[in-house]
Amino acid sequence: MDPAGIMESADGQRGRDVSGSRWKGSPLDAIMSQIRRKRTASDRKPLGRFLSWTSDRPGIPEDGESEMKEDRGPSSGFAASAESERDVGWGRVCVFLKRLGKKGDSRSLSLAHCDLTATDLLELATLLQFLPQVEEMDISWNELIGGSLTALTSHLQHVGEVRTLRLCSCRLNSEDVVALGEALSYIPGLEVLDLSWNSGVGGGGLQGLLGNLHPSLRELHLVACQLTVADATVLGGMVAALPRLCVLDVSCNAQLTQEVDTGGFKELVSSLSHATSLTTLRLQACGLTPDSLDALGGSLRCLPSVGELDLSCNKLLAGGLSRLTFHLAHVTHLERLDLHLCCLTRDDLEALIQVLPSLTALTELDVSSNKEVGGVVHPLVSALPVTQMRRLPFNSCYLSNESFTALALAVPYLRTVDISWCKVVGGHLALLLDALQPSVVSELRLCSCELTTDDMQHLAAVCRRGCLSSLRALDLSYNSLVGDNGWCSLFAAGGLGSLEDVDVSLRPSTSAPCSAWLPALLRALPQMPALARLAMQRWTADCQEREQLRYCLKKRSILLEWDPDLQDTSSACKGNSQESLEESQPEE
């Protein structure tokens, strides 16, 4: 054969690959391509790494890589599509929340006080699929969604991680409660359920939850649900099946305790013996009587873990507290006992005093708004574990000079001191203030105590010593006997760096100018960085002073409670430009 023909034939073969297609690469590229086709996928990878320089050259993709890319294609495309859909869904959630003035949170959905309608609820239900990680849902205080809860409950399967569900004051009816009960199977990990302030829960509506609550439930709140005696029986059956229940609040259900002898409440409290984990029991304003206290006391003996017991605002139990105190000695972990506004008699208080030494864990005792307390303060304080007491309010207790002096024994250890509406305090506040320990008290309430200018100046001296450096709430309202010098000295004293809430309002029937001490308040504001609320009802000032104070508070978003139409007529209102107003501000 002609050498030229041989070369031409070789060149022709060289320019084609085994498939017959035209090859556009170099001869070396053609050889490597044939080698790769003959090797297995597992063998190609080492070669590709050894001759990695070939993979960087255009037009020579490794077959293994192309096959892997082809294999990954559909799955990666599906994942990308799902992720894109989630992003779009979360965008819809954020738009919905922004329309309601809320911010998006993948774990907490808070829509309380949003004036939601049935249409909004339906839209929210369709968005739940994009909130699979939400753990807390609060849709409380939306009264327009009553009767349409099914729109939401039918989609709860998308939020199976919910731990807290609050539906307070939504005007739920019995059908809503039934729909909720049927949907609770979708959220087996539910720990907190709050249906308070829904009258439709009572009167038989509670039956819709019977048998549907999971053993994981730890808190059940049914405040002001108009529960009846029949509901009490149903509730008893529910509680008996909730071994992990820690908090039960059925306050403000006055009909709950009727006909104690025939069942209802008696069955409810009997079921509490099965709730061995119960730590908080609230029965405020439930119409408790001495008979109901007797039934309750028998169950408390089986609940030594109870740490909070609220029996307040039950005026019908007057004269029968001894039927409960006999059993209280067995509640060894009781820390908070609330008996305010119960019309306690002297016999009731003496029975309470006898059991107090047995309550060694007690830190809070509220017997305020009981007139007879004023006559037993000394023996009461003496029976308490004073050094561990943190809250012991005596507001509206008709304190005498002797009882006020006895109170000073407990004051050094208290976090909250409340002796409002006790006229004996006026002119004697120094006795109480001198007993305070530095940086202990966080709340001091002296409303309507007929405080004098001297009392206020003594309070200012205590502030200067740093004894109130931890104070967060200060109530000095309704003390019209304090002169301008008293207010000036208080605000000029300093030492209130932790103060968040202060009230110096006057009584509704009075008014007085604040021009004399307002400059001292303005100068004191920079030394109160934590201040969030200032109440000055019925104090008058001219327009310039009012605008000056508003400007200072607005810069820090401090809530000012001040009568908008009450002005000091002794000064004419002058229009000031924003520039002149800023020049008059104190330096911060």
Side-chain angles (χ1 to χ4, degrees):
M1 182 178 293
D2 181 56
I6 296 175
M7 294 297 296
E8 183 179 359
S9 177
D11 290 340
Q13 292 298 327
R14 187 185 305 126
R16 299 177 183 272
D17 61 6
V18 294
S19 62
S21 60
R22 193 69 181 176
W23 182 262
K24 298 181 181 180
S26 65
L28 179 60
D29 293 338
I31 295 172
M32 294 303 301
S33 177
Q34 293 180 18
I35 294 174
R36 291 193 189 99
R37 282 185 167 86
K38 293 179 180 179
R39 297 180 63 89
T40 62
S42 59
D43 292 334
R44 289 182 198 132
K45 294 181 181 179
L47 181 62
R49 289 194 295 268
F50 181 72
L51 300 175
S52 59
W53 61 275
T54 60
S55 62
D56 295 333
R57 303 189 61 174
I60 317 179
E62 293 196 21
D63 295 349
E65 292 179 357
S66 63
E67 289 172 5
M68 291 174 65
K69 289 180 180 179
E70 291 176 359
D71 292 342
R72 289 198 303 263
S75 60
S76 61
F78 179 79
S81 176
E83 184 176 357
S84 176
E85 184 179 353
R86 286 195 299 270
D87 292 341
V88 172
W90 177 247
R92 290 174 54 193
V93 171
C94 292
V95 170
F96 176 77
L97 294 176
K98 185 177 181 180
R99 191 173 74 234
L100 300 172
K102 301 290 185 178
K103 293 183 179 180
D105 187 336
S106 62
R107 296 190 178 276
S108 178
L109 183 64
S110 179
L111 296 175
H113 300 281
C114 284
D115 294 327
L116 295 180
T117 63
T119 304
D120 295 327
L121 195 66
L122 182 60
E123 182 178 357
L124 172 61
T126 62
L127 297 176
L128 291 183
Q129 58 181 311
F130 306 115
L131 294 167
Q133 296 180 332
V134 69
E135 296 180 356
E136 180 176 356
M137 291 180 60
D138 188 353
I139 317 178
S140 302
W141 309 101
N142 289 289
E143 298 185 347
L144 298 179
I145 67 174
S148 58
L149 193 63
T150 306
L152 181 70
T153 57
S154 60
H155 290 76
L156 287 183
Q157 69 271 17
H158 299 297
V159 287
E161 299 298 320
V162 168
R163 297 291 181 268
T164 300
L165 179 59
R166 302 187 188 278
L167 292 164
C168 306
S169 190
C170 290
R171 290 193 176 182
L172 303 183
N173 56 32
S174 58
E175 294 179 358
D176 292 327
V177 179
V178 170
L180 176 61
E182 294 175 348
L184 287 179
S185 60
Y186 297 137
I187 44 179
L190 188 66
E191 297 180 355
V192 179
L193 178 61
D194 193 345
L195 302 178
S196 300
W197 307 100
N198 287 292
S199 58
V201 175
L206 194 63
Q207 184 75 31
L209 297 180
L210 185 62
N212 293 315
L213 295 176
H214 293 274
S216 61
L217 195 70
R218 300 176 62 86
E219 295 187 22
L220 180 59
H221 301 265
L222 299 170
V223 179
C225 287
Q226 294 190 9
L227 301 181
T228 63
V229 175
D231 294 322
T233 303
V234 174
L235 183 58
M238 294 166 54
V239 170
L242 299 173
R244 298 182 60 189
L245 189 66
C246 296
V247 178
L248 177 62
D249 191 349
V250 291
S251 300
C252 303
N253 288 287
Q255 301 179 31
L256 195 65
T257 58
Q258 294 180 358
E259 304 175 13
V260 176
D261 295 334
T262 59
F265 182 74
K266 190 173 183 180
E267 294 184 21
L268 171 60
V269 295
S270 297
S271 67
L272 295 178
S273 59
H274 300 283
T276 55
S277 299
L278 195 68
T279 59
T280 300
L281 178 60
R282 300 187 183 121
L283 297 168
Q284 182 189 72
C286 283
L288 297 179
T289 63
D291 289 338
S292 55
L293 287 183
D294 197 13
L296 176 62
S299 295
L300 287 178
R301 297 173 66 96
C302 304
L303 298 171
S305 60
V306 170
E308 179 182 345
L309 181 60
D310 186 354
L311 306 177
S312 60
C313 303
N314 286 288
K315 298 181 179 181
L316 297 179
L317 62 76
L321 189 62
S322 60
R323 301 172 70 170
L324 176 69
T325 55
F326 175 75
H327 304 283
L328 279 182
H330 299 278
V331 190
T332 55
H333 291 85
L334 189 63
E335 298 179 1
R336 295 175 295 279
L337 178 60
D338 194 344
L339 293 166
H340 82 268
L341 198 60
C342 286
C343 294
L344 298 180
T345 65
R346 189 63 174 257
D347 291 339
D348 291 329
L349 293 168
E350 290 178 354
L352 176 62
I353 291 171
Q354 290 179 3
V355 75
L356 285 180
S358 301
L359 304 179
T360 56
L362 198 66
T363 59
E364 298 182 15
L365 174 63
D366 191 346
V367 289
S368 61
S369 300
N370 288 288
K371 298 180 181 180
E372 295 294 331
V373 171
V376 296
V377 172
H378 190 276
L380 182 68
V381 172
S382 301
L384 288 168
V386 178
T387 57
Q388 67 187 40
M389 294 301 296
R390 298 297 176 260
R391 185 171 179 270
L392 186 62
F394 282 106
N395 51 293
S396 302
C397 282
Y398 284 69
L399 298 181
S400 61
N401 289 328
E402 181 182 356
S403 57
F404 183 64
T405 303
L407 177 60
L409 298 175
V411 165
Y413 309 99
L414 300 179
R415 297 283 192 272
T416 300
V417 177
D418 188 352
I419 47 177
S420 299
W421 305 95
C422 294
K423 309 304 181 185
V424 70
V425 180
H428 303 90
L429 185 61
L431 179 64
L432 189 72
L433 296 178
D434 290 341
L436 294 176
Q437 294 294 323
S439 304
V440 174
V441 176
S442 60
E443 292 185 28
L444 180 59
R445 303 193 180 277
L446 302 167
C447 172
S448 190
C449 286
E450 294 190 356
L451 299 182
T452 64
T453 301
D454 289 341
D455 290 328
M456 202 61 64
Q457 290 176 341
H458 200 94
L459 178 59
V462 173
C463 291
R464 282 193 294 271
R465 294 200 302 266
C467 291
L468 299 178
S469 59
S470 298
L471 194 67
R472 292 181 299 176
L474 177 61
D475 187 355
L476 300 172
S477 58
Y478 297 4
N479 286 290
S480 57
L481 298 181
V482 178
D484 293 335
N485 291 336
W487 296 114
C488 285
S489 61
L490 174 64
F491 293 122
L496 295 173
S498 300
L499 194 62
E500 300 174 2
D501 188 300
V502 60
D503 192 342
V504 295
S505 301
L506 297 176
R507 294 179 182 277
S509 59
T510 62
S511 64
C514 63
S515 301
W517 54 266
L518 187 59
L521 172 60
L522 292 174
R523 290 191 295 270
L525 287 177
Q527 280 73 50
M528 294 187 285
L531 190 64
R533 173 181 173 269
L534 173 62
M536 295 177 54
Q537 303 283 10
R538 269 78 63 185
W539 287 103
T540 62
D542 61 35
C543 289
Q544 182 178 359
E545 292 169 335
R546 294 174 72 91
E547 290 303 320
Q548 191 175 10
L549 178 59
R550 284 198 180 101
Y551 180 78
C552 287
L553 300 182
K554 185 178 181 180
K555 290 193 300 182
R556 293 170 46 186
S557 301
I558 298 174
L559 175 64
L560 175 63
E561 296 183 5
W562 203 359
D563 304 86
D565 301 323
L566 194 60
Q567 296 182 353
D568 187 358
T569 57
S570 63
S571 300
C573 294
K574 300 179 181 180
N576 295 320
S577 65
Q578 186 67 22
E579 291 78 8
S580 63
L581 185 61
E582 292 182 3
E583 292 176 357
S584 64
Q585 304 307 314
E587 294 183 2
E588 296 190 14

